Amino acid sequence: MTSETHQKVTASHLKRDAYLYVRQSTLRQVFENTESTKRQYALRERAVALGWPLERIHVVDSDLGQSGASAVDREGFQKLVGEVGMGRAGIVLGLEVSRLARNCMDWHRLLEICALTDTLILDEDGVYDPAHFNDRLLLGLKGTMSEAELHVLRARLRGGILSKARRGELMIPPPVGLVYNSEGELVLDPDQQVQQSLRLLFETFRRTGSAMATVKAFRRQALLFPRRLRAGPHQGELVWTQLRHSQTLRILHNPRYAGAFVFGRSRTQKKVDGGVRLLWLPRDQWDTLIPGAHTGYLSWEEYEANQRRLRESAQAQGADRRKSPPREGPALLQGLVVCGVCGNRMTVRYHTRGSHRCPDYVCQRQGIEHGESNCQMIPGAGIDQAVGGLLVEAITPLALEVALRVQQELQSRLGEADRLRQKQVERARYEADLAQRRYLRVDPDHRLVADSLEADWNDKLRALAGAQQEYERQRQADRGLLTDEERSRILALATDFPRLWRDPKTPDRERKRMVRLLLEDVTLLRGGQITVHVRFKGGVHQSLTLPLPLNAWQQRTTSTEVVAEIDRLLDQHTDRQIASILNAGSYQSGEGQLFSPHIVARIRHRYGLKSRFHRLRESGMLTLKEIAKLLGITPPWVKIWKDHGLLAAQTYNDKGECLYEHPGKNAPRKMQGLAGKLSDRLRLLSMASNRTEEVQCEA
Ligand SMILES: [Zn+2]
């Protein structure tokens, strides 16, 4: 300790207390870097040597394990600043204060306060008096140098990494399926199961050309796929899980499987809230790409071909994901539809019918990731039409008048509530001011009173901050309801909305824009029918139920003419006969599709046409059992009698089953003995030709 150091410490400093600020930014540092903690506490000895009694050296260490990103969350640091600001501190002790002073704004501010209150700074290098020009200069210089040091260190580290990477020698944690051997070369994982899984993945993609189909194939065969844990307590371990779509895409896009060395495919970017975002760069911005650097699972040519295939299918399939701006294409609700089953956003898929494109709304996010079937799929044409109708109905000048009046009412009430909340803030501010004045008036020597008043002041300040925050939050929430701009646009739209909507010259894209102005979202649920929950901007709900749309074959064949014809033919014919009659006639469907008995039956059911069975029953015909009972014979005998013309019957289905006419009073009777033998009766019958009565009489 030099004599100069001692000169800086005066009696006025010694009269006040010493504060040792101990800081470790992360919990890990607290545990692992005990050396630095020891050094920090050793500073206390220095303070004792300078003349502070041990009991007046306060240790501020409540920030252990807290990141130093900002002073807001660090209670200890704030306490320190408070003590210095009140002029209670004679000296502040800390490790590397001089370094922190430059690149940490909080410390810089603390130094300024130290200068104002004549407080000294002590770190391992010595004692500084921030009020002193030379010491300020020194602190500044040390700060700049430490910043430069950091910069050089980082640049050297980065430079080393880059030059190593450019030579292809940098060891980067390999993806699953590749490992470094003892010579530091990247080779295929010696674990055969891992190797085979990867080979199977690439092979399946080669065969199917789709990541989705690859996931499905693994799922169908109940095959698990290896994954290496990148973080957590089991970091680096291999786990076997179900193959996922995103994982498949990652593997297919990773050039390392093609034996290429790559570096700098992604870049991190700091976000405003302190988080970090990962950006994937296009290939021409990669830092290093060395094809053929090591062995791989596929050739570079195949890798490139895979990229092309993936790009093509991405363009075909991946467009309409998420809530996205309106695009071309007729799907009115694109980007607004929410799945009523799982709550995910539904996407649009088009299919072609005749010459125009028909939208389907599909919930496929979960299905894609796990290779399962889709959550639900709903044909969109009917829904678009119904929602359009709903809008035209809802957007009348009268309805709008009412809506706007309600809106105005709401707005004025919002204003009222806002004024009330503002009053709350004002009140909190008044109370805080009062507490401050009380505290400032008290005699500083009256420590007990002063302490309790100070605590009171702090409480009031906290309450004020809370009230202010709540006020701002509510204001934001209120504003979120409906902006002025949106309101005026809705007004302008309403005057000629129906005309504009129905005008065939209005492009799909414009119609979609109108929908977006008016609707928040639309939730679809498919059950026995389709339920459509429409949520308007501003919170009004409306629900529609629509029948399930007809299948393709139903739409093709069920013109009223065909239904009427089937109805007529049912009087005389079975489904199969009707199908062949229709096919022979002029009722072939436009696409050349023939009717089948199955289609006829479904049309019959759908349009509630009475079946042939019912028609015959209604005309009084009897079932096999009934007539057997009536005649007192067994059913097989009824059939035999029918086959030989003794009973009149009509087939009612394509299996040849019959209903029987009531034989009336001249019913044939069963005969006993020889004369009753069928052959004899038939002989008699043929002799008597048409005179059945005679036969029956004889019997
Ligand atoms: Zn769903």
Side-chain angles (χ1 to χ4, degrees), residues 580-597:
S580 51
I581 291 169
L582 288 173
N583 287 335
S586 53
Y587 292 109
Q588 278 171 351
S589 66
E591 288 162 41
Q593 178 122 1
L594 296 177
F595 287 96
S596 68

Side-chain angles (χ1 to χ4, degrees), residues 335-409:
L336 290 178
V337 191
V338 176
C339 172
V341 177
C342 68
N344 277 321
R345 239 161 233 290
M346 295 175 86
T347 52
V348 180
R349 197 188 274 174
Y350 289 105
H351 66 267
T352 316
R353 180 166 291 169
S355 59
H356 58 277
R357 293 162 78 204
C358 305
D360 294 310
Y361 296 113
V362 197
C363 176
Q364 55 184 1
R365 173 114 47 93
Q366 290 298 314
I368 286 176
E369 186 66 356
H370 301 288
E372 292 165 354
S373 54
N374 289 328
C375 178
Q376 59 172 353
M377 174 166 142
I378 299 173
I383 292 163
D384 284 3
Q385 208 177 0
V387 171
L390 185 72
L391 289 181
V392 170
E393 207 176 286
I395 311 300
T396 61
L398 186 71
L400 215 89
E401 182 95 34
V402 174
L404 281 178
R405 213 175 295 148
V406 171
Q407 174 71 25
Q408 212 173 1
E409 172 85 23

Side-chain angles (χ1 to χ4, degrees), residues 293-306:
H294 50 81
T295 52
Y297 285 90
L298 67 170
S299 68
W300 182 250
E301 289 71 35
E302 190 178 356
Y303 170 77
E304 298 254 55
N306 286 352

Side-chain angles (χ1 to χ4, degrees), residues 100-111:
L100 288 167
R102 181 69 188 189
N103 45 25
C104 173
M105 218 164 52
D106 303 329
W107 275 100
H108 198 73
R109 230 168 261 153
L110 177 66
L111 288 188

Side-chain angles (χ1 to χ4, degrees), residues 254-327:
N254 195 337
R256 301 187 77 185
Y257 288 110
F261 176 88
V262 276
F263 182 74
R265 285 166 75 209
S266 63
R267 191 156 51 87
T268 52
Q269 195 178 46
K270 278 207 173 114
K271 290 195 283 187
V272 183
D273 62 4
V276 172
R277 184 188 0 220
L278 196 68
L279 288 179
W280 290 98
L281 303 173
R283 192 191 291 182
D284 53 351
Q285 290 178 27
W286 292 357
D287 198 83
T288 315
L289 172 62
I290 309 173
H294 50 81
T295 52
Y297 285 90
L298 67 170
S299 68
W300 182 250
E301 289 71 35
E302 190 178 356
Y303 170 77
E304 298 254 55
N306 286 352
Q307 300 311 301
R308 269 196 303 281
R309 281 170 102 173
L310 288 169
R311 210 161 33 238
E312 279 157 17
S313 31
Q315 275 157 1
Q317 305 283 344
D320 276 342
R321 307 264 159 87
R322 289 183 293 278
K323 182 167 184 178
S324 46
R327 298 168 203 279

